[in-house]
Amino acid sequence: GAVVSQHPSRVICKSGTSVKIECRSLDFQATTMFWYRQFPKKSLMLMATSNEGSKATYEQGVEKDKFLINHASLTLSTLTVTSAHPEDSSFYICSAVPGQGSEKLFFGSGTQLSVL
Amino acid sequence: GDSVTQMEGPVTLSEEACLTINCTYTATGYPSLFWYVQYPGEGLQLLLKATKADDKGSNKGFEATYRKETTSFHLEKGSVQVSDSAVYFCALSHTGNQFYFGTGTSLTVIP
């Protein structure tokens, strides 16, 4: 089946630093990728939708200047948490859709971010 | 807005026990309903889905029936195995792209 690789799986950083998370579709071209966040005991919440070559669409309440998303190619999307703070500590997970109009959704394994 | 409420875990069962993980939803219109499973160290994988009322999704011995009257999509398995230990997410989607997930339920099956 299709594979989505997400890296790193776990990161610990100091407050004020920036962290980049990569999401790659390994065996298909992903025109659309999604970024989710999950706080402890809360639902997986959609943060943003990114389409290759265009600006990401952010969900209400998600700061676009803090969570920078770049979808520069059909196989790679990155999420950069800028000037991270302890409240940004969360589980981040990406997903990708192969092609237009596909109903299939493939997920990465997630990144646990801890900001000290 | 759309949302999914899922039974809180963690759930611990002995091998061959029956499993039910409750899931109810709130949505406009008629979404498709899904169960995703996340095994340790892996991404979420689609387990089963149902696209309309009264449809039953099934896979790997798991079943869930789309109940419009009770807005539910409970996950069931008659006899769990150790290999079923994972986190299970209930979800809904109108478009097949944008999903609304529950909180996830962690299942541990002990021999």
Side-chain angles (χ1 to χ4, degrees):
Chain A
V3 177
V4 172
S5 173
Q6 186 172 340
H7 178 80
S9 58
R10 185 177 294 272
V11 58
I12 301 172
C13 68
K14 291 183 179 179
S15 187
T17 60
S18 294
V19 175
K20 180 184 282 188
I21 303 170
E22 292 189 350
C23 181
R24 294 180 184 273
S25 56
L26 296 185
D27 52 0
F28 65 95
Q29 292 185 329
T31 53
T32 305
M33 288 188 174
F34 302 89
W35 287 95
Y36 291 83
R37 177 172 58 185
Q38 184 178 30
F39 292 109
K41 299 192 177 183
K42 300 292 185 184
S43 301
L44 267 174
M45 298 296 294
L46 180 65
M47 297 175 66
T49 302
S50 73
N51 292 296
E52 185 264 340
S54 61
K55 289 185 179 180
T57 302
Y58 290 81
E59 296 299 303
Q60 193 173 10
V62 178
E63 298 175 63
K64 62 181 180 182
D65 294 331
K66 180 167 188 63
F67 299 99
L68 302 179
I69 292 172
N70 186 295
H71 193 161
S73 77
L74 285 170
T75 59
L76 174 64
S77 177
T78 60
L79 167 68
T80 302
V81 183
T82 62
S83 186
H85 287 93
E87 58 265 31
D88 298 324
S89 299
S90 184
F91 181 72
Y92 295 85
I93 193 165
C94 69
S95 65
V97 178
Q100 295 283 353
S102 172
E103 290 191 344
K104 293 191 179 295
L105 193 66
F106 299 97
F107 285 84
S109 54
T111 299
Q112 183 65 52
L113 170 65
S114 299
V115 184
L116 304 178
Chain B
D2 293 356
S3 66
V4 173
T5 301
Q6 187 175 340
M7 169 179 153
E8 283 194 25
V11 175
T12 302
L13 294 174
S14 297
E15 207 165 19
E16 299 184 3
C18 288
L19 169 71
T20 300
I21 301 178
N22 290 334
C23 172
T24 57
Y25 67 91
T26 301
T28 55
Y30 304 99
S32 294
L33 302 176
F34 304 80
W35 277 100
Y36 278 83
V37 58
Q38 185 176 29
Y39 298 105
E42 299 183 16
L44 275 72
Q45 303 170 26
L46 179 64
L47 179 60
L48 54 85
K49 71 175 185 180
T51 57
K52 61 183 188 297
D54 300 327
D55 266 4
K56 178 186 285 188
S58 61
N59 186 25
K60 299 182 180 180
F62 290 90
E63 292 183 340
T65 301
Y66 190 143
R67 301 282 189 202
K68 182 165 155 294
E69 63 277 11
T70 54
T71 61
S72 66
F73 193 55
H74 304 321
L75 182 68
E76 298 176 325
K77 186 173 186 181
S79 176
V80 294
Q81 305 300 313
V82 172
S83 57
D84 294 326
S85 298
V87 181
Y88 293 83
F89 290 88
C90 185
L92 70 82
S93 177
H94 290 280
T95 64
N97 286 352
Q98 187 166 3
F99 282 71
Y100 296 88
F101 286 89
T103 54
T105 301
S106 175
L107 169 67
T108 301
V109 180
I110 54 178

